[in-house]
Amino acid sequence: MNHETQTATVILTPVTSNPPNEENLTFWQATPAGNITLQITNPQASSQFSVGTSYYVDFTTA
């Protein structure tokens, strides 16, 4: 969190586990690498993310 601008940067990367579980193996076969980077200026929104926590990301056509 940049306290001067109240901007948080959240970087999401594909989940891997050791040993990998079935869900992670299926995802990994299609998308072995990548990231989503968010810059969030709303502290209530950025507080929804915690380091080390896994999140599902769904894309819906707008």
Side-chain angles (χ1 to χ4, degrees):
M1 167 77 77
N2 181 324
H3 293 287
E4 289 181 23
T5 63
Q6 295 294 302
T7 301
T9 301
V10 176
I11 302 171
L12 305 170
T13 59
V15 173
T16 59
S17 57
N18 191 8
N21 64 35
E22 188 63 34
E23 183 177 26
N24 290 346
L25 284 173
T26 300
F27 180 85
W28 188 259
Q29 289 174 356
T31 313
N35 67 60
I36 299 170
T37 302
L38 307 170
Q39 289 186 335
I40 304 172
T41 58
N42 179 330
Q44 288 179 311
S46 63
S47 70
Q48 302 300 306
F49 295 93
S50 298
V51 174
T53 301
S54 297
Y55 298 93
Y56 286 104
V57 176
D58 298 306
F59 293 97
T60 304
T61 303

